[in-house]
């Protein structure tokens, strides 16, 4: 992947994660409402050095072009990040290419949909990817709704492992031509 660019939306700036984000992530991230539907690889309870370790991994992955990690920063409001959104190439196996979380204090305002739309547009228009594989825990209705609004098609339900335990995981595919067509309409 190319270097992670700064992306803009009407209400947000999506900028690459940086070292000084660790204290804000450590404050905002370890909330059950945030982590329960995230990958079981995330340590829980979240350790005191969890954000520092996470940010170091993000910086390493961006440096070698493996993933893009954006801090979600409102244009009006707090000057620090309120969430994270990530994007990575299809590995041919995981059927998942984007992940995100948002501080519950900022949920329900369409901010994550706005961030996800901008990152999706980047994947299709700038990177030229033919499709995006996306997934979520079936009970995670907010994440599911973002995929539905984007026009993704449900292609599978399997068992997923989350911080909150094993549950049904929905697997979606969003095709570039469907995305571009919806944006033109």
């Amino acid at each position: 992947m190319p270097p992670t660019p700064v992306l803009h939306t009407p209400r947000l700036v999506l900028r690459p994660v940086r070292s000084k984000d660790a204290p804000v992530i450590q404050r905002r991230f370890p909330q059950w409402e945030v982590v329960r539907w995230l990958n079981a690889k995330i340590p829980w309870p979240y350790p005191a050095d969890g954000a520092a370790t996470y940010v170091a991994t993000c910086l390493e992955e961006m440096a070698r072009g493996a993933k893009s990690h954006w801090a979600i920063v409102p244009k009006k409001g707090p000057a620090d990040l309120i969430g994270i959104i990530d994007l990575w190439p299809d590995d041919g196996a995981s059927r998942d290419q984007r992940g995100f979380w948002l501080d519950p204090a900022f949920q329900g305002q369409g901010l994550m949909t706005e961030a996800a739309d901008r990152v999706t547009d980047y994947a299709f228009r700038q990177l030229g990817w033919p499709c995006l594989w996306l997934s979520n825990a079936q009970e995670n209705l907010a994440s599911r709704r973002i995929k539905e609004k984007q026009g993704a098609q449900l292609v599978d339900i399997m068992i997923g492992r989350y911080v909150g335990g094993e549950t049904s995981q929905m697997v979606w595919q969003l095709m570039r031509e469907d995305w571009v067509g919806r944006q033109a309409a």
Side-chain angles (χ1 to χ4, degrees):
M1 292 189 63
T4 302
V6 175
L7 304 174
H8 296 271
T9 76
R11 298 181 293 168
L12 302 169
V13 174
L14 307 178
R15 60 154 177 78
V17 169
R18 53 191 184 207
S19 295
K20 67 181 187 176
D21 290 329
V24 179
I25 293 169
Q26 190 69 40
R27 186 176 79 245
R28 293 193 185 277
F29 179 75
Q31 301 178 63
W32 186 245
E33 308 93 289
V34 171
V35 302
R36 71 184 287 197
W37 303 124
L38 297 181
N39 190 295
K41 293 177 185 174
I42 294 168
W44 190 257
Y46 203 57
D49 66 345
T53 301
Y54 168 75
V55 168
T57 300
C58 290
L59 295 175
E60 186 273 326
E61 289 173 338
M62 289 190 296
R64 64 181 166 87
K67 290 186 178 183
S68 288
H69 299 276
W70 287 276
I72 302 169
V73 182
K75 289 182 178 176
K76 294 181 181 175
D80 56 11
L81 68 86
I82 59 171
I84 300 285
I85 187 164
D86 310 310
L87 182 72
W88 57 93
D90 182 12
D91 66 5
S94 67
R95 300 196 310 174
D96 200 14
Q97 294 179 264
R98 186 184 69 201
F100 51 70
W101 64 266
L102 188 67
D103 184 321
F106 298 92
Q107 293 176 6
Q109 303 172 42
L111 295 171
M112 189 50 76
T113 298
E114 196 170 309
D117 283 353
R118 183 63 186 94
V119 168
T120 298
D121 202 65
Y122 170 73
F124 289 143
R125 295 183 196 265
Q126 275 71 50
L127 299 178
W129 291 358
C131 72
L132 275 178
W133 289 100
L134 310 164
S135 71
N136 58 271
Q138 190 165 2
E139 294 89 354
N140 187 344
L141 299 179
S143 185
R144 174 183 178 169
R145 184 68 188 121
I146 289 171
K147 289 150 185 85
E148 291 170 342
K149 287 189 276 188
Q150 288 191 319
Q153 299 299 310
L154 180 64
V155 296
D156 198 5
I157 297 181
M158 52 195 270
I159 297 298
R161 289 171 181 80
Y162 301 93
V163 174
E166 285 190 0
T167 190
S168 296
Q169 177 179 354
M170 303 174 85
V171 178
W172 306 80
Q173 188 176 46
L174 180 56
M175 302 303 295
R176 181 183 190 278
E177 57 269 12
D178 293 340
W179 173 262
V180 173
R182 288 175 70 100
Q183 300 309 302

